[in-house]
Each structure stands twice: as C-alpha cells, then as structure tokens.
Amino acid sequence: MSTDLANTAAADLLDADPQRVADTNAVVRALALPDGARSLEVFNPATGDTIAAVPDADPGQALRAVAAAEAAGREWAARTPRQRADILRRWYDLINEHAEKISLLITSEMGKPLVESRAEVTYGGDFVRWYAEEAVRPGGNVRDVPTGGATLLTRRAPVGLSVLITPWNFPLAMATRKIAPALAAGCPVVIKPATLTPLTTFYVVDLAYRAGVPVDLVQVVTTGDASAFSEAVLTDARVRKVSFTGSTGVGKILLKLAADNVLRSSMELGGDAPLIVFDDADLERAVNGAYAAKMRNGGQSCIAANRIYVQDGIADAFVEGLVEKMAAARVGNGLADDVALGPLIDDRAVSSMQKLVDDAVAAGADVRSGGHAIAGPGSFFEPTVLDHVATTAEAARTEIFGPIAAIQRFRTEAEVVHRANSTEYGLAGYVFTENLDRALNVADALQTGLVGINQGVPSNAAAPFGGIKQSGLGREGSAEGLDEYQEIRFYNIARRTTGSDVVGSG
Ligand code: NAD
C-alpha cells in the first residue's frame, strides 16, 4: 500500500511546472489519496500554507509494508553486487537529472534557501554514487589461525530488513545516506521520513523505482503516530536493523525498543558542537568557517557550531567580522533570490530561539546583532550574534538548532578543551588555528566523532560521519557506512597441512 502511495505521490509531483518556482504551491500539489484515507498536511514554513497531504498510516499498514519489503528482499539479496550497483548508479543519474525539482521540493517543505537545497541534492546524491561504487566491494577476507591447522574465511551478508527513520532538516540527504548503503548491501527497507518533510522522500524513492529498484523493496511509510509505528515495527521479528537520525531523546526510546528484538542499531543523534578560534587563526577563514558552521541550514544542523569559543586576543576582531556577515544575511522565503536565511521549521522553533536569547541576555550576554523573531506569515528569526554568553545560560548548555551564534571567550588551550568536552554530546567539533601541531593536538583531545580543521563544512560522502558519547552509534557514509548493513560471518576450515602453513613453501 505504501508503495502505491509513494508512486501516486511522486507521479503527482513530477507533473509540477518548474516555470512557476516563485509560487510555492505550484511546486507541490496535494497528493491524490484514496477516498477516506487518513492524511497529514504538509506546510511550507515560509508561508504557513498547506502544500500537500500525505497518508497517515496506522501500525497495521506499517506492518504490511514490512511484509512486502521482506518478500522483495530475498530476490534483491540474491542479485549480484554488480546488478545492484548498476541500479544505484542509474538512481544517482536520475537524481542529477531531477536536481532542480528536488531542490524546489526541499525548499518548499523545509524552507532552506534554494542554493542550499541544491547543495543538499549534490551531497545527498553523492551517497547514492558512493554506494553504487562500494556495492561491488563487499569485503570479506582470508586469514590463518595463528596456531596453524585452520584457515578462516570471513564473509559478509546483508543484515536484513532495515527500518530507517529520518529527521526533517536534510530531507534528501538523510534518506539517501541510509537507503543507498542498505540497498548496496542487499537489504530491503522501510523508511519513515519526518512528518514535517515527507515529500522529498516520496519523490526520490520514486526515482529509485524508475532506476530499477523493485517497487516493494523500498517502502515509504508516513504516519502521525511515530510511537505506534516504532512499537509495531521494531518489535516485529522480520525486522533486523534500525537506523535512526534525530534527537538523542527519541534515539534512547528506539534503542530500548530495539533491545527486545536485539536489532542492529545505528543512531545519528543530537550535537553540541564546540567551535574553537585560537589567537593564531586566520581571521577571515575563522569568520567564514564559523558563519558556515553556524548558518548552514539556518543553524538547524546536528553539526552546527553550538558553542563558539574565541581566544581573548582575537575575540573582538572575530566578533566584529561575524556580526558584519550575520547582519548582511538576507532573510526571506528560500525560493526568492539572494536569500541567505530561510524560515525555521515551525513557530515552536521561533519561540524557542526567543527564549534562548532572552535567557542569555538575563545572564549577561550582549546582543551584537538580531535577537528577535520576525512577524509572519512564516516562521522567521533574525540572524543573531550573542557575545559574552555565560556558561550558565541555556544557549551554552543546549542544542540551539537555529541562527544564533553564542560566543564565549577563553584564555588557554587546556581551559578551552576542558570546556568543549564538558557535554554529554560528541558529534562534531571545529578548530581554527594556523599552527598544525595545535590543530592536531586539539582535534585529538576533542571528544567528538568528527572535527573540522580551519573549515566549517566537514561532511562528505567519503567520510565516516557519526558521533561518540550520547551523539550516537555507528557511522554513515564511506566504506564504514556499508558495514552497518552487513553481518560479518566466518568459516573455520580445518587443514591437514604437510609441514609449513606458509603459502608457496612446498
Ligand atoms: P526527532 O527526534 O524529533 O525526530 C526524528 C524522526 O524521528 C522523525 O521522523 C520523527 O517523526 C521520528 N520520531 C519521533 N518520535 C519517534 C518514536 N517514538 N518512534 C519512532 N520515530 C519517532 O528529531 P528532529 O526534530 O526531526 O531532528 C532534530 C534532531 O535531529 C536534532 O537533535 C539533531 O541534532 C538531530 N540530527 C542528528 C543528525 C546526525 O547525523 N547525528 C542529523 C540530523 C539531525
């Protein structure tokens, strides 16, 4: 059922007239839903308008999707790696061919400026290309038992039916980063996109079908009751894997559910990234890097610079430079030209920004630019720079997830490393310095899964993205991302050797 709906949805979207980009409602029209189907509305956060409705699946429908995917999975797993790779490569080509429509869709349902949506299509498409390439390198190796007399053959097998749950902030990339390695490894998939941004997933999965992915193999399920979905699906014995991207709180709930079924679990969770600027940093690089690390996706990124630490000697010049850039950032509907900051995802996010600013100011912070919500329609907040944020302020202790640069100052390397690591999160960190030893020493000392050195956008399909501490389990992207969808098995082959085990010695 969900497959039919995905097809219907995507077919409808494909008819959209790209000429009318200024009219958000022209990009996404209401999906044709079966009579009497329960549905969920999707909004454009720049206008508040309803732009589409998607199915509101109940747990019974989700389990039917599980059954259909599982049945299709057997045939998919039996295909050769080259056959799977060729289909993934065609999917990548189709994503590129439809890049502009996908970008319009991302901006329409999520709000980010079109230029950033285009960058997301490049980034998200790269995972499909990467795993088209990795699919034919499924690993496995041969080794000898150290005491002799046996040879170990390790083999890799698909982990099995994988449930993928994605957030709203990167509607394309979070989906392809999971679906592509799952398919490359030979696994069937049930994907539940965020209720706020399901349209991009429908569209890109339809492109996968056009590329040759069997229609039952990838099931898209949208639902307004995420708990009922995960309780039904993750405890079903046919499911073998859960991969989740979202908040740490929800990740913990899913890990508890996964425990009952002992599911392989990958968790890409919340972040609290420190960004550290030392006195010996290149000022322009530091300002540009901090701006990118803060403002990409309107600050709604798990690796967004959350706590900006600036050393005393460079602090005034850095703050001035950042204020200038932030104040010049044009705010508006992401479909309009030259917009640098689109809307936040909803009004709740706007009021949470206002609370963070007010709380920081009450604790002594200076508002150097912005600081206010912008009147609707749409959910907008000014690009904001707060200087001298107290360690006790909420903005210094929580994931901001919006366009607020919260700056603290520091004196010594040891002090800033200690402060940077004083968090239960460990996803990303950033270091700006022209001293190579210092850059590497501080990167080594940071308790994070990834570090941007002299740059603010470290993600890449070739990199093993993921967090430590409460930021997650497992890695996405790179060769390691394929491991997450594979079981490693071994055969121990007894050998009657005629003397030395050394190959070629006889
Ligand atoms: P969220 O945790 O509220 O939702 C994420 C997804 O989980 C959505 O699809 C939602 O519908 C679903 N969900 C919620 N409750 C569920 C339940 N009980 N069972 C099953 N599914 C459930 O997060 P969000 O607000 O969409 O995204 C923001 C968060 O995601 C931030 O904390 C951010 O740091 C994190 N994030 C992490 C990464 C990463 O790679 N580490 C990437 C992007 C976002």
Side-chain angles (χ1 to χ4, degrees):
M1 181 218 168
S2 47
T3 300
D4 293 346
L5 289 170
N7 282 329
T8 315
D12 191 60
L13 297 172
L14 286 166
D15 285 343
D17 178 0
Q19 300 305 307
R20 299 168 64 194
V21 293
D23 176 359
T24 58
N25 289 340
V27 180
V28 186
R29 292 179 297 157
L31 307 180
L33 295 173
D35 283 346
R38 290 189 311 164
S39 65
L40 300 162
E41 292 188 334
V42 182
F43 299 93
N44 178 337
T47 60
D49 292 342
T50 302
I51 54 172
V54 296
D56 181 6
D58 62 30
Q61 290 167 318
L63 288 173
R64 285 211 287 285
V66 166
E70 202 235 359
R74 279 172 241 133
E75 189 267 333
W76 182 251
R79 293 199 194 186
T80 66
R82 178 61 72 200
Q83 287 169 331
R84 295 199 291 260
D86 286 347
I87 289 174
L88 284 169
R89 177 67 209 201
R90 276 202 291 280
W91 187 22
Y92 168 69
D93 290 340
L94 284 175
I95 289 172
N96 279 340
E97 268 171 43
H98 294 84
E100 197 57 16
K101 283 184 184 174
I102 302 172
S103 305
L104 291 169
L105 200 48
I106 294 172
T107 294
S108 299
E109 64 176 343
M110 187 274 160
K112 72 183 73 176
L114 209 41
V115 62
E116 289 198 42
S117 294
R118 293 185 184 121
E120 182 177 344
V121 175
T122 303
Y123 173 58
D126 258 358
F127 289 103
V128 179
R129 174 170 56 179
W130 180 270
Y131 287 108
E133 292 159 351
E134 285 296 314
V136 292
R137 299 184 198 106
N141 63 38
V142 180
R143 50 191 120 178
D144 292 324
V145 166
T147 47
T151 293
L152 298 170
L153 181 62
T154 69
R155 306 269 290 147
R156 284 169 182 250
V159 71
L161 179 50
S162 301
V163 172
L164 316 178
I165 302 175
T166 52
W168 50 263
N169 57 350
F170 291 93
L172 176 77
M174 297 302 99
T176 53
R177 197 160 84 167
K178 295 182 192 300
I179 299 173
L183 296 184
C187 301
V189 156
V190 173
I191 179 162
K192 191 204 86 57
T195 315
L196 292 165
T197 58
L199 305 175
T200 305
T201 304
F202 279 125
Y203 192 104
V204 81
V205 167
D206 183 70
L207 293 181
Y209 299 152
R210 288 164 167 236
V213 169
V215 286
D216 277 342
L217 189 72
V218 178
Q219 300 279 330
V220 183
V221 177
T222 44
T223 176
D225 191 343
S227 309
F229 167 85
S230 49
E231 278 158 27
V233 165
L234 297 189
T235 55
D236 186 285
R238 292 166 293 194
V239 172
R240 290 308 327 140
K241 157 103 195 169
V242 58
S243 177
F244 170 72
T245 298
S247 58
T248 296
V250 172
K252 288 179 186 179
I253 294 172
L254 298 180
L255 280 172
K256 283 176 190 154
L257 279 173
D260 273 349
N261 219 354
V262 194
L263 294 184
R264 281 282 295 278
S265 304
S266 304
M267 296 281 144
E268 297 285 351
L269 307 177
D272 181 12
L275 183 145
I276 304 171
V277 181
F278 285 99
D279 284 346
D280 59 10
D282 176 307
L283 181 63
E284 196 183 337
R285 246 180 165 184
V287 168
N288 290 340
Y291 179 85
K294 179 74 250 177
M295 293 293 279
R296 176 166 164 258
N297 227 35
Q300 303 166 114
S301 154
C302 51
I303 58 168
N306 207 46
R307 292 166 292 145
I308 301 178
Y309 295 108
V310 193
Q311 202 164 18
D312 283 336
I314 198 172
D316 288 341
F318 173 86
V319 172
E320 209 171 291
L322 189 62
V323 166
E324 198 179 309
K325 265 188 100 70
M326 295 282 273
R330 195 171 151 232
V331 185
N333 187 327
L335 290 173
D337 287 339
D338 299 333
V339 162
L341 176 64
L344 297 186
I345 190 66
D346 57 19
D347 289 346
R348 250 185 352 165
V350 174
S351 51
S352 109
M353 290 309 114
Q354 194 66 66
K355 276 200 201 111
L356 287 174
V357 170
D358 295 347
D359 170 79
V361 169
D366 300 328
V367 181
R368 293 292 309 271
S369 81
H372 301 102
I374 300 171
S379 309
F380 293 94
F381 198 84
E382 292 174 338
T384 297
V385 179
L386 300 176
D387 195 6
H388 297 291
V389 173
T391 50
T392 51
E394 231 6 67
R397 296 186 295 122
T398 193
E399 188 179 21
I400 295 173
F401 234 61
I404 300 174
I407 297 171
Q408 305 178 46
R409 297 176 179 223
F410 73 92
R411 284 214 186 98
T412 69
E413 186 178 311
E415 170 207 343
V416 78
V417 166
H418 174 75
R419 286 167 64 184
N421 286 335
S422 302
T423 169
E424 71 263 28
Y425 295 105
L427 186 54
Y430 301 86
V431 184
F432 289 84
T433 170
E434 293 294 292
N435 178 325
L436 181 62
D437 281 336
R438 168 176 271 168
L440 294 178
N441 290 341
V442 172
D444 284 350
L446 286 179
Q447 296 163 352
T448 61
L450 55 128
V451 182
I453 297 178
N454 290 323
Q455 66 134 309
V457 186
S459 305
N460 191 289
F465 187 100
I468 59 178
K469 294 160 86 175
Q470 293 196 25
S471 285
L473 300 171
R475 295 293 177 265
E476 289 189 327
S478 75
E480 286 86 348
L482 191 61
D483 295 348
E484 303 280 319
Y485 295 91
Q486 292 177 323
E487 297 289 10
I488 297 176
R489 307 169 61 221
F490 75 89
Y491 308 153
N492 185 327
I493 309 164
R495 306 276 304 276
R496 268 194 216 102
T497 52
T498 50
S500 169
D501 281 351
V502 178
V503 175
S505 65

